[in-house]
Amino acid sequence: MNILSLQRSTVRELKPYDPELLAAYKYKVDANENGYDIPVAIRKKILKEIAKIKFNRYPDPGSVKLRSILADKNRIDPGCIVIGNGSDELIHYLLQAFTDKNDKIVAPDPSFDMYRILALANGAKPVIVPLDDNFDLDETAVIRAAKGAKFIFLAYPNNPTGNCFSDDKMLRVIRSAGCFVVIDEAYFEFSGKTYLNLLATQKNLIILRTFSKAYSLASMRVGYMMAAPEIISVINKVRLPYNMNAVSQVCAELTAQTDIAPVVKKILYEREKLYSSLYKEYLVVKSDANFLMIKVCDGKQAKKLFEKKGISIRMFKDGRLKDFLRLTIGTPEENRAALEILKRGV
Ligand code: PMP
């Protein structure tokens, strides 16, 4: 028996996720994480709370406390929130709950690849619409492609380009698409721009957020979805029982209440400093997030130079993004190390 022939046909073309991590790195600026870990005082509080966990019992299945904290923060009803093991899990649940075999989903290119990958993994058909020359949305093409589709996925700010799409284009898509529009606001805390205010009136709108970026909690895998309660209740039908472990719940409850503004400010300051030092020599996309997309001359050579200095970066190899380097804004020391190489000319 050929075991591989038993795969779902759309899974056949997929490859396992490979973060392409440098085995031993000194600086890690490849995954848009936060270069600053959570404050020591919060870490202490977390450890105290973890000591109280009943390790022999299942965690709160509905993450009630965390949802209530997030509801207060975002001024919405807790019934409009569901928590996921990273926002990745929530994208998976959306596709699992709402797409039938061969249903279309629309996503731009370049964008976050998990929309396409999880669509294929769930038997849906990704329809990819190229962004325009400025990496802005081609909203007419998106709306056209979305005829008969179940979802449009839009990362806002977009990853890997870092920009927020134009507001008028976003509004046109949200208002005229006859399907769900998922706005993935993973980098919201850096952009300060959100469509959350439209949630009450636009029933097709779904907002995703994460603790992995501005909240420095990538290791704990916590993301959340905000949407109409009817959508949340469908997601709860496919959500695995106890999807959020007790440690992650405690970590998110306590970090959600920290003031991240000073760290966000430092990162934005560093981003602008890097941008100003680079834009005359390189094509650099104006960013609303905690990373910069930079076009280098020879991607392969540049990656080698970075790795020689122990700097793990994300380099794109093919298609439209060939020779584009995505650089996470890290600590000043990390940024200086990256800038030093770029200033040499790569
Ligand atoms: N959406 C976007 C746009 C992202 O860039 C990422 C992480 N790279 C995610 C979602 C996934 O984040 P999480 O860690 O919450 O799964």
Side-chain angles (χ1 to χ4, degrees):
M1 183 175 69
N2 179 359
I3 292 168
L4 293 179
S5 71
L6 301 178
Q7 289 177 90
R8 187 183 277 206
S9 59
T10 49
V11 170
R12 212 165 285 151
E13 66 184 83
L14 292 177
K15 294 192 193 93
Y17 179 69
D18 176 10
E20 295 181 38
L21 281 180
L22 193 57
Y25 57 82
K26 188 167 172 205
Y27 302 122
K28 190 172 184 310
V29 284
D30 56 5
N32 301 343
E33 297 145 323
N34 197 324
Y36 301 91
D37 207 337
I38 55 169
V40 174
I42 299 294
R43 183 182 286 265
K44 280 190 184 151
K45 274 194 196 170
I46 286 173
L47 293 176
K48 237 179 163 174
E49 286 305 308
I50 288 176
K52 294 184 202 159
I53 289 174
K54 289 192 174 87
F55 285 92
N56 60 327
R57 301 294 180 200
Y58 284 110
D60 171 4
S63 307
V64 170
K65 189 166 173 195
L66 179 56
R67 278 174 43 237
S68 140
I69 292 168
L70 293 173
D72 282 351
K73 241 175 121 66
N74 292 294
R75 298 198 185 86
I76 59 168
D77 191 89
C80 296
I81 301 179
V82 62
I83 314 288
N85 212 283
S87 38
D88 283 347
E89 187 184 45
L90 296 168
I91 299 166
H92 176 66
Y93 287 157
L94 279 168
L95 292 158
Q96 201 184 6
F98 288 104
T99 55
D100 282 308
K101 195 168 182 307
N102 291 330
D103 272 350
K104 280 195 304 182
I105 72 108
V106 177
D109 175 64
S111 191
F112 185 48
D113 211 22
M114 290 312 286
Y115 311 137
R116 184 187 65 86
I117 292 169
L118 291 173
L120 291 172
N122 281 289
K125 267 215 167 93
V127 178
I128 305 299
V129 177
L131 294 176
D132 71 15
D133 291 343
N134 300 315
F135 295 123
D136 203 353
L137 212 54
D138 180 347
E139 82 282 18
T140 309
V142 167
I143 293 166
R144 200 182 310 125
K147 285 223 166 71
K150 284 271 171 76
F151 287 102
I152 299 170
F153 284 93
L154 300 172
Y156 184 87
N158 190 38
N159 177 16
T161 54
N163 56 312
C164 278
F165 304 131
S166 307
D167 185 47
D168 56 333
K169 291 169 184 270
M170 289 292 289
L171 288 175
R172 241 193 98 198
V173 171
I174 294 167
R175 295 201 171 121
S176 47
C179 65
F180 290 120
V181 179
V182 181
I183 305 191
D184 181 348
E185 297 183 353
Y187 303 94
F188 153 70
E189 293 82 1
F190 300 106
S191 73
K193 296 184 201 169
T194 177
Y195 287 96
L196 183 60
N197 57 329
L198 296 185
L199 208 59
T201 48
Q202 290 289 329
K203 295 298 176 198
N204 61 333
L205 194 60
I206 295 167
I207 308 262
L208 296 178
R209 299 263 179 92
T210 182
F211 279 80
S212 301
K213 312 296 177 185
Y215 281 93
S216 305
L217 214 58
S219 63
M220 287 298 142
R221 311 298 299 122
V222 186
Y224 60 105
M225 177 191 300
M226 296 182 279
E230 296 90 330
I231 299 174
I232 301 294
S233 67
V234 175
I235 295 302
N236 279 329
K237 292 196 217 178
V238 297
R239 185 167 62 85
L240 292 177
Y242 313 110
N243 66 322
M244 293 309 302
N245 74 72
V247 174
S248 295
Q249 288 190 40
V250 162
C251 288
E253 286 159 15
L254 288 164
T255 51
Q257 297 174 68
T258 60
D259 179 14
I260 54 160
V263 163
V264 168
K265 202 171 154 196
K266 273 198 261 188
I267 293 169
L268 297 187
Y269 173 78
E270 283 285 315
R271 183 189 73 197
E272 291 315 296
K273 214 167 86 178
L274 266 181
Y275 180 86
S276 315
S277 320
L278 292 171
Y279 81 100
K280 284 188 185 141
E281 290 140 75
Y282 294 94
L283 165 64
V284 188
V285 184
K286 205 74 186 102
S287 172
D288 293 295
N290 65 334
F291 54 90
L292 284 175
M293 273 286 271
I294 304 159
K295 177 117 197 276
V296 298
C297 289
D298 182 344
K300 254 192 194 159
Q301 185 62 19
K303 192 162 166 79
K304 268 194 207 145
L305 282 174
F306 277 97
E307 292 188 351
K308 229 170 109 186
K309 292 279 177 191
I311 307 175
S312 185
I313 47 137
R314 177 75 194 272
M315 185 66 77
F316 293 86
K317 295 185 206 99
D318 358 79
R320 194 170 164 192
L321 289 186
K322 187 174 177 312
D323 298 323
F324 269 94
L325 146 71
R326 194 192 63 193
L327 190 69
T328 306
I329 309 301
T331 60
E333 187 189 346
E334 286 175 320
N335 305 332
R336 257 196 312 277
L339 184 63
E340 209 173 279
I341 293 173
L342 288 164
K343 276 294 181 193
R344 270 193 250 152
V346 289

